[in-house]
Amino acid sequence: KNQVEQSPQSLIILEGKNCTLQCNYTVSPFSNLRWYKQDTGRGPVSLTIMTFSENTKSNGRYTATLDADTKQSSLHITASQLSDSASYICVVSDPPSAGAGSYQLTFGKGTKLSVIP
Amino acid sequence: NAGVTQTPKFQVLKTGQSMTLQCAQDMNHEYMSWYRQDPGMGLRLIHYSVGAGITDQGEVPNGYNVSRSTTEDFPLRLLSAAPSQTSVYFCASSYREPHNEQFFGPGTRLTVL
């Protein structure tokens, strides 16, 4: 069964500091990997999407990296702000196998980040 | 564009009651899906649709029905609510396939007593 494991489960950092969140996956073959930000009480919002051929993608202060060989991804947040407090979810998609009909998504459980003043 | 909208935002049901969670999108997306999110677990797919008139089951379909009569709307029906269906429900849409960027609604928090 495909799995996506995220670490740490939760993290507390001081405002202005950097942090890195990890995502390990077993999905194979692999179509793309995305990171979502989910604020409390809201739906997830896409931060980055990377295909297997991309090593890094940035969205402002968020930078995602991907190592398809080791099946690892990380999300680096630079100069954290209070508004970065949220859950960050890693999602991996694999293409449809014969007869499956649609891409399958495997969601990680998320890392809960708290940024404190 | 309103994006993906969901109603209601909160709902309390008694065991055995039925209800429909509404979902609509105005982006002309073919692919729509319903997820549930429970504490300590990742989002789990309930049902999905690749276009009007076409629906299929996801990972946890039992106790839920869906239909897709138009591109815009994808309601989720709970036939006989059970406490195990207490959860937060998210509707999402994407252009054609779910591996394209998915847009999520704001969620419906459902409590079944």
Side-chain angles (χ1 to χ4, degrees):
Chain A
K1 182 180 179 182
N2 290 331
Q3 289 186 314
V4 174
E5 301 287 343
Q6 293 188 243
S7 61
Q9 280 189 314
S10 62
L11 182 63
I12 301 174
I13 63 172
L14 290 174
E15 185 180 10
K17 297 296 186 182
N18 303 335
C19 68
T20 299
L21 313 180
Q22 300 291 343
C23 172
N24 295 340
Y25 61 93
T26 63
V27 178
S28 184
F30 160 81
S31 175
N32 62 38
L33 182 147
R34 65 193 76 179
W35 284 91
Y36 283 95
K37 179 186 179 188
Q38 184 176 22
D39 293 317
T40 301
R42 310 286 289 269
V45 175
S46 180
L47 291 174
T48 62
I49 301 177
M50 290 183 292
T51 64
F52 66 89
S53 62
E54 296 177 291
N55 299 118
T56 185
K57 184 159 281 189
S58 293
N59 179 357
R61 296 179 296 101
Y62 301 99
T63 299
T65 62
L66 173 64
D67 186 334
D69 292 332
T70 61
K71 293 187 171 56
Q72 295 180 325
S73 176
S74 63
L75 180 69
H76 186 73
I77 304 175
T78 303
S80 61
Q81 300 176 358
L82 298 179
S83 58
D84 293 330
S85 294
S87 287
Y88 292 83
I89 302 171
C90 177
V91 185
V92 181
S93 72
D94 59 313
S97 55
S102 183
Y103 286 77
Q104 303 298 312
L105 303 183
T106 305
F107 289 80
K109 296 179 181 180
T111 292
K112 185 175 176 61
L113 175 66
S114 299
V115 181
I116 58 176
Chain B
N1 288 349
V4 180
T5 58
Q6 291 183 239
T7 57
K9 189 151 181 68
F10 300 96
Q11 183 70 48
V12 179
L13 292 178
K14 294 181 180 178
T15 297
Q17 288 185 316
S18 62
M19 79 158 295
T20 299
L21 279 62
Q22 301 292 343
C23 173
Q25 53 91 10
D26 61 359
M27 296 173 282
N28 203 31
H29 285 166
E30 294 95 334
Y31 186 92
M32 296 185 73
S33 53
W34 277 101
Y35 295 91
R36 60 178 290 172
Q37 187 175 43
D38 301 295
M41 303 186 73
L43 285 153
R44 292 184 292 170
L45 182 65
I46 304 171
H47 284 285
Y48 66 95
S49 168
V50 298
I54 306 170
T55 63
D56 207 345
Q57 296 181 350
E59 179 185 358
V60 288
N62 292 342
Y64 307 95
N65 272 359
V66 292
S67 60
R68 184 97 178 268
S69 57
T70 67
T71 299
E72 294 78 19
D73 300 297
F74 191 42
L76 178 72
R77 281 182 289 276
L78 281 71
L79 305 175
S80 179
S84 60
Q85 294 178 304
T86 294
S87 187
V88 182
Y89 292 85
F90 289 100
C91 179
S93 75
S94 62
Y95 175 66
R96 291 194 176 175
E97 291 281 1
H99 80 296
N100 296 320
E101 182 176 4
Q102 277 199 311
F103 295 84
F104 284 84
T108 294
R109 182 173 293 275
L110 175 67
T111 301
V112 183
L113 302 175

